[in-house]
Amino acid sequence: QGYYVGSGFMSPVLSNQGVTADTMICDSVDVELHEVGHPNSMIASARGALQRDGSLSVAFMANPDYYYLAIKHRNTIQTWTSEPIWFGNSSVLDLTTDPSQVFAYNVAPLDSMYYGLYSGEINADDNIDLIDLMTVENDISMFAYGYLPTDINGDGNVDLLDSPLIESNVSNFIYAVYPN
């Protein structure tokens, strides 16, 4: 949500934050496979490079089967697929254009065509709240910059441009929702 710049593209966050010179990569994302039955135990996890066009490729060491997919990022709420998905030798999934593929439709509308993960979840408690906002405001007052989860818009600086989005998500009581 915070990294979205329009027309299906995201900011080159890792380049902006001084991590890499590659301007085609947005950021790293963790993807997990969870079993279908309660309590949805994690079966496998992989980290991949999220490209600026929203594509991500990861490989899992797991038996072909149906799994819930969970997506986690350093400053967004975790987001799960609405239904278990078949993962075999090669599986392709697009969660950016159809919010019904996401559990409880818990994705942020980015524009008329695209959806993304809600930004502003700094302390990984599954809730974008005043604690997250306070952390961002603290980094703003310290003129923080670099590879930081408090840089909500991914421009390399924690500044007043990061506040509006997280304030909106706090006001709208945005939190993670996933199967029990």
Side-chain angles (χ1 to χ4, degrees), residues 84-106:
I85 303 207
W86 174 258
F87 281 88
N89 293 336
S90 178
S91 300
V92 176
L93 179 65
D94 182 358
L95 299 176
T96 64
T97 59
D98 184 1
S100 70
Q101 292 186 27
V102 176
F103 194 82
Y105 294 81
N106 202 19

Side-chain angles (χ1 to χ4, degrees), residues 66-79:
Y66 284 91
Y67 299 101
Y68 281 105
L69 181 91
I71 303 167
K72 297 181 178 182
H73 176 261
R74 64 191 173 108
N75 75 3
T76 68
I77 60 168
Q78 66 173 300
T79 303

Side-chain angles (χ1 to χ4, degrees), residues 42-82:
M42 186 176 63
I43 302 300
S45 177
R47 178 167 283 177
L50 179 65
Q51 303 299 306
R52 289 194 56 219
D53 67 359
S55 63
L56 172 73
S57 180
V58 293
F60 294 103
M61 297 298 292
N63 293 327
D65 203 346
Y66 284 91
Y67 299 101
Y68 281 105
L69 181 91
I71 303 167
K72 297 181 178 182
H73 176 261
R74 64 191 173 108
N75 75 3
T76 68
I77 60 168
Q78 66 173 300
T79 303
W80 288 49
T81 54
S82 59

Side-chain angles (χ1 to χ4, degrees), residues 93-158:
L93 179 65
D94 182 358
L95 299 176
T96 64
T97 59
D98 184 1
S100 70
Q101 292 186 27
V102 176
F103 194 82
Y105 294 81
N106 202 19
V107 286
L110 302 175
D111 60 25
S112 63
M113 293 181 56
Y114 297 101
Y115 296 84
L117 307 180
Y118 282 105
S119 296
E121 170 41 326
I122 308 303
N123 65 350
D125 67 355
D126 286 342
N127 188 28
I128 301 173
D129 56 19
L130 292 174
I131 296 169
D132 301 304
L133 180 57
M134 179 180 65
T135 305
V136 169
E137 289 176 347
N138 184 57
D139 279 1
I140 290 170
S141 70
M142 306 222 1
F143 303 100
Y145 63 92
Y147 189 67
L148 299 170
T150 50
D151 180 12
I152 303 301
N153 68 356
D155 66 358
N157 300 301
V158 184

